């Protein structure tokens, strides 16, 4: 899967995690020196997820969904924090 080739096509896709379910929509893809980062918004929270083949296991272009399996605790960092 070549994420860099489709990076702008993924903006607007929903992101579904195996543990947390739907976590939000990709609003931007940040280009960092080592990798791309999905910027995802869920209500008033911003979640940053590395866009790599170890985390993304399926992209459904027809339904505009990215399926991910994040390392334990990564999403919790964002969702457990107090506003």
């Amino acid at each position: 899967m070549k994420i860099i080739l489709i990076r702008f096509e993924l903006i607007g896709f929903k992101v579904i995690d195996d543990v947390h379910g739907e976590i939000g929509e990709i609003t931007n893809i940040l280009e960092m020196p080592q990798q791309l980062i999905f910027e995802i918004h869920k209500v008033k929270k911003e979640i940053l997820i590395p866009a790599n083949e170890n985390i993304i296991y399926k992209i459904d272009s027809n339904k505009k969904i990215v399926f991910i399996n994040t390392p334990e605790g990564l999403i919790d960092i964002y969702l457990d924090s107090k506003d």
Side-chain angles (χ1 to χ4, degrees), residues 64-81:
K64 295 189 173 192
I65 300 173
V66 176
F67 295 90
I68 63 174
N69 186 353
T70 56
E72 185 177 337
L74 178 62
I75 295 175
D76 294 326
I77 293 169
Y78 299 100
L79 298 182
D80 288 346
S81 64

Side-chain angles (χ1 to χ4, degrees), residues 35-38 48-53 55-56 68 70-71 74:
Q35 66 185 353
L36 298 174
I37 305 286
F38 288 154
L48 302 175
I49 303 290
N52 66 51
E53 294 176 359
I55 292 176
I56 301 166
I68 63 174
T70 56
L74 178 62

Side-chain angles (χ1 to χ4, degrees), residues 19-33:
V19 173
H20 294 90
E22 187 176 331
I23 60 167
E25 182 179 303
I26 299 171
T27 57
N28 194 14
I29 300 177
L30 307 171
E31 189 171 345
M32 300 304 206

